[in-house]
Amino acid sequence: MRRTQTSLTPLARADRATVEWRVTPGLTDYVTATAWMEARVAAIHEGREAEVIWLVEHPPLYTAGTSANADDVLEAKFPIHSTGRGGQYTYHGPGQRVAYVMLDLSRRGQDVRQFVMALESWIIKTLSFFNVTGERREDRVGVWVKRPEKGAGFEDKIAAIGIRVRRWVTFHGISLNVEPDLTHFSGIVPCGIAEQRYGVTSLVDLGLPLTMEDADAALKASFSGIFGPIHVGASIEVL
């Protein structure tokens, strides 16, 4: 059964407080990034810092979510990091835009399912800027594109979602494949989905000559209609 792509109630805060938008150039160490998120989540909960969307790229690595099955590691091509986000194994690497989403759901309805659907809608709206039809699936988290040229029923994942919520503040987030090396996914069963008709793709793999800057602009343009206004923060150059 598939969820319909109806409009969601925006998750904007009633007080219209802005969300900080940060981008870090280059490759960001994963352990350092998770430590920064942990500290920021605590600060958001305590009211010391604003909510934030943090855009990064990582060096090649695999992450294991709370539902990860060790048998889904086929070849440990890259370091594996255990993480407290939901989900199974996924890959991060150059050419993939990771957006860490740190929002206070206590001010946004306290509905985790609605939040996940809002993340899906954010990705779907972003893809529409490039005339790519992204779709959600009831039994598969993430955003998918149909690949009829591969055969009937074939679909590829173009974006993954994995979140954690602590004291109603979210962290971890989404990853959108812009131009990663898709062979790097072969070391794992991505998200535990082994059926051959379900693969992985990227914007460039779909024939779109897009840059990370193009993807960032679309993510930024799509965000406010779902989550509320943003303000641009300083780039986190060195953590």
Side-chain angles (χ1 to χ4, degrees):
M1 181 178 179
R2 297 179 179 181
R3 280 177 279 176
T4 58
Q5 296 181 38
T6 55
S7 297
L8 294 173
T9 302
L11 270 71
R13 291 168 53 147
D15 60 6
R16 302 296 288 173
T18 58
V19 178
E20 187 175 6
W21 186 273
R22 290 194 173 204
V23 182
T24 293
L27 301 181
T28 300
D29 175 73
Y30 185 77
V31 173
T32 306
T34 55
W36 191 91
M37 277 196 291
E38 292 274 352
R40 186 62 177 246
V41 165
I44 292 169
H45 173 72
E46 294 165 6
R48 295 185 286 108
E49 293 279 6
E51 299 170 306
V52 63
I53 304 299
W54 182 25
L55 275 57
V56 303
E57 288 179 83
H58 289 303
L61 59 94
Y62 299 125
T63 65
T66 54
S67 302
N69 181 342
D71 291 339
D72 286 342
V73 178
L74 307 178
E75 180 184 356
K77 296 181 176 183
F78 307 111
I80 299 173
H81 297 270
S82 295
T83 178
R85 63 158 176 81
Q88 302 184 50
Y89 284 99
T90 193
Y91 165 78
H92 294 315
Q96 181 190 72
R97 175 52 84 205
V98 175
Y100 289 127
V101 181
M102 287 159 268
L103 299 179
D104 186 354
L105 294 189
S106 70
R107 299 176 180 273
R108 296 174 181 270
Q110 294 187 338
D111 188 330
V112 175
R113 179 179 173 84
Q114 185 80 346
F115 172 65
V116 172
M117 293 181 69
L119 291 177
E120 292 172 337
S121 289
W122 180 28
I123 298 165
I124 290 168
K125 188 174 180 181
T126 297
L127 293 173
S128 72
F129 276 76
F130 309 117
N131 295 315
V132 173
T133 302
E135 300 182 4
R136 53 170 60 90
R137 295 291 179 257
E138 182 66 32
D139 57 341
R140 287 177 270 129
V141 175
V143 174
W144 298 77
V145 294
K146 294 178 180 177
R147 304 301 301 271
E149 70 277 14
K150 293 184 175 182
F154 277 70
E155 298 181 346
D156 286 343
K157 177 179 278 192
I158 195 166
I161 297 173
I163 66 163
R164 187 174 182 180
V165 180
R166 178 182 296 155
R167 293 181 293 188
W168 289 113
V169 180
T170 70
F171 55 125
H172 297 281
I174 68 171
S175 57
L176 173 64
N177 295 332
V178 180
E179 192 180 7
D181 185 337
L182 296 179
T183 66
H184 289 181
F185 286 87
S186 65
I188 57 172
V189 178
C191 302
I193 300 172
E195 293 182 59
Q196 291 187 353
R197 62 193 175 112
Y198 300 138
V200 181
T201 192
S202 69
L203 290 168
V204 171
D205 181 55
L206 293 175
L208 299 169
L210 299 171
T211 66
M212 192 66 72
E213 289 73 23
D214 295 327
D216 288 353
L219 284 164
K220 189 176 181 181
S222 303
F223 181 86
S224 295
I226 299 170
F227 295 102
I230 63 173
H231 68 274
V232 177
S235 172
I236 307 171
E237 299 289 346
V238 179
L239 299 181

